[in-house]
Amino acid sequence: MRSREAYIRALPKAELHLHIEGTLEPELAVRLARKHGVALPYADVEQLRAAYAFTDLQSFLDVYYALADVLRDADDFYELALSYLQRARDEGIVHVEIFFDPQTHTARGIPFGTVVEGLHRALGEAQRRFAMTHRLIACFLRDQSAAEAMRTLAEVLEYRDVIAAVGLDSAEVGHPPSKFAEVFAHARRHGLLTVAHAGEEGPPEYIREALDLLAVQRIDHGVRCEEDPELVRRLAREQIALTVCPLSNVKLGVFARIEQHNLKRLLEAGLRVTVNSDDPAYFGGYLLENYLAVERALGLSSAQLATLARNSIAGSFLDAAAKQRWLAAIDDCANAEARRAGA
Ligand code: ADE
Ligand code: ZN
């Protein structure tokens, strides 16, 4: 009998919520630290892994930003991204929309262009070798000032041809989307698409602000929408994609246990829920593991797994023709699975 894992792997999927810095595996971090003579506050890979006992978003961000210090030249960003893209291909991901945090690097004196050069090289290679399509999304750090974000936007605009969208990440509580209304308006005037983390640790009001004040196309996380039934109805009515990250939510204490995750309820309420891995090197699994975790813990049907894959394509920034092709391929895969189950 074909396993659930084989079925999930076979479904064509898009990953829409992936911080490339969050794919930095301990082994690569230690190797790059040696390459550049960077002293890490951890003696070895074991000590590093032991530091991954997070209690909340900030406790994770402290480690994530400290480790990003090993990323120094374009080859580092290339290697980081290509490792992720190879893994993504093996898991049946056909399209990726990747976040990066420019300020984390420019604040250390790494030129914006160095980061983009390395990422772009890897994405181009994945397109040629794996026929994998992509969009690049530059995120503003919301715990920095709006003026800093505006300066970063000016650099984003210099690479307008390779950056499709801007996003908003880092410590959420106390840094509402409203703080960045002007920055996002400016980005939209230049034709950039927009997304924002909202409703991960922050209240449902932040989701409303992201929609109304930032005019985002999708909400990253968004799981706290459930505290506001009217907002849930709106998200369903407007088919706003939520890029949900189940293993991340458990690691950072948004849900105490995976069995308590609200993904299935939101899906059954008709929201455009997608599954994503966020920072897989830190949270215990890449995209396939996230699908398997919710499938096992929440008991998702084959049809619901196909809906999650469909939502990832529908919620992506692919053009209409590409979406149609992938949606048809998902139908074929789901139909074949239904026949197999019935046989
Ligand atoms: N940066 C990387 N991962 C993040 C997350 N889950 N939330 C906010 N900022 C992040
Ligand atoms: Zn995230």
Side-chain angles (χ1 to χ4, degrees):
M1 202 187 81
R2 189 169 130 119
S3 70
R4 292 296 256 186
E5 180 177 327
Y7 171 54
I8 295 168
R9 204 185 285 276
L11 283 167
K13 299 171 292 299
E15 174 137 71
L16 305 179
H17 184 154
L18 183 282
H19 302 265
I20 200 65
E21 295 89 348
T23 68
L24 180 59
E25 292 287 345
E27 291 75 12
L28 181 58
V30 166
R31 183 153 58 77
L32 293 181
R34 281 203 197 104
K35 170 182 165 182
H36 295 296
V38 175
L40 286 177
Y42 313 96
D44 53 30
V45 167
E46 278 65 44
Q47 267 202 20
L48 230 180
R49 281 200 195 280
Y52 290 6
F54 311 117
T55 50
D56 58 10
L57 177 56
Q58 190 61 56
S59 65
F60 153 68
L61 290 171
D62 291 344
V63 178
Y64 166 87
Y65 292 133
L67 274 196
D69 193 29
V70 304
L71 299 165
R72 301 251 162 150
D73 61 33
D75 286 346
D76 300 343
F77 287 95
Y78 164 80
E79 187 175 353
L80 177 74
L82 194 65
S83 306
Y84 162 70
L85 293 165
Q86 282 168 327
R87 192 156 188 158
R89 184 266 321 262
D90 293 344
E91 296 192 353
I93 296 174
V94 297
H95 174 74
V96 292
E97 303 198 350
I98 289 184
F99 295 135
F100 72 110
D101 288 335
Q103 289 154 283
T104 300
H105 311 302
T106 55
R108 301 181 288 121
I110 312 298
F112 192 102
T114 298
V115 181
V116 173
E117 182 200 323
L119 297 180
H120 189 242
R121 194 169 2 127
L123 289 164
E125 190 169 326
Q127 183 139 20
R128 284 191 304 279
R129 285 173 53 197
F130 318 144
M132 186 187 289
T133 50
H134 63 266
R135 300 287 186 271
L136 196 51
I137 305 176
C139 284
F140 304 117
L141 301 183
R142 69 199 306 155
D143 48 353
Q144 311 275 316
S145 70
E148 275 299 328
M150 200 60 107
R151 276 193 281 282
T152 302
L153 176 58
E155 297 198 271
V156 169
L157 292 173
E158 287 177 37
Y159 294 88
R160 179 67 195 83
D161 52 335
V162 295
I163 297 174
V166 292
L168 191 62
D169 67 1
S170 201
E172 185 182 6
V173 175
H175 302 285
S178 54
K179 178 174 161 187
F180 297 94
E182 243 186 87
V183 180
F184 273 60
H186 196 60
R188 292 197 310 278
R189 277 197 293 276
H190 285 272
L192 286 160
L193 299 165
T194 58
V195 298
H197 284 53
E200 178 187 17
E201 282 191 347
E205 184 55 26
Y206 285 17
I207 300 174
R208 289 182 182 281
E209 282 192 12
L211 294 170
D212 296 333
L213 304 180
L214 306 187
V216 295
Q217 270 86 19
R218 9 178 233 258
I219 296 287
D220 296 314
H221 293 294
V223 289
R224 284 195 59 194
C225 68
E226 220 181 12
E227 296 163 29
D228 180 342
E230 176 45 39
L231 177 61
V232 170
R233 284 192 289 276
R234 175 182 177 185
L235 292 168
R237 194 170 59 240
E238 297 181 12
Q239 284 295 284
I240 305 290
L242 299 188
T243 63
V244 176
C245 307
L247 291 176
S248 163
N249 290 157
V250 175
K251 272 279 182 189
L252 302 187
V254 175
F255 296 94
R257 294 158 43 89
I258 191 79
E259 289 77 11
Q260 292 164 1
H261 202 288
N262 63 4
L263 175 136
K264 187 177 183 181
R265 279 198 303 277
L266 296 177
L267 190 66
E268 292 180 348
L271 276 70
R272 186 173 275 175
V273 174
T274 67
V275 173
N276 305 273
S277 66
D278 207 7
D279 302 284
Y282 295 91
F283 298 151
Y286 284 73
L287 189 64
L288 187 64
E289 288 301 329
N290 275 272
Y291 269 84
L292 283 169
V294 285
E295 188 265 335
R296 287 189 196 118
L298 309 178
L300 300 181
S301 67
S302 299
Q304 284 176 318
L305 291 168
T307 299
L308 290 168
R310 268 188 213 100
N311 288 350
S312 74
I313 297 296
S316 76
F317 295 141
L318 282 166
D319 64 36
K323 284 185 183 181
Q324 279 317 313
R325 277 196 302 278
W326 285 126
L327 292 173
I330 292 168
D331 287 347
D332 290 347
C333 188
N335 290 336
E337 180 70 7
R339 277 196 302 277
R340 206 171 282 115

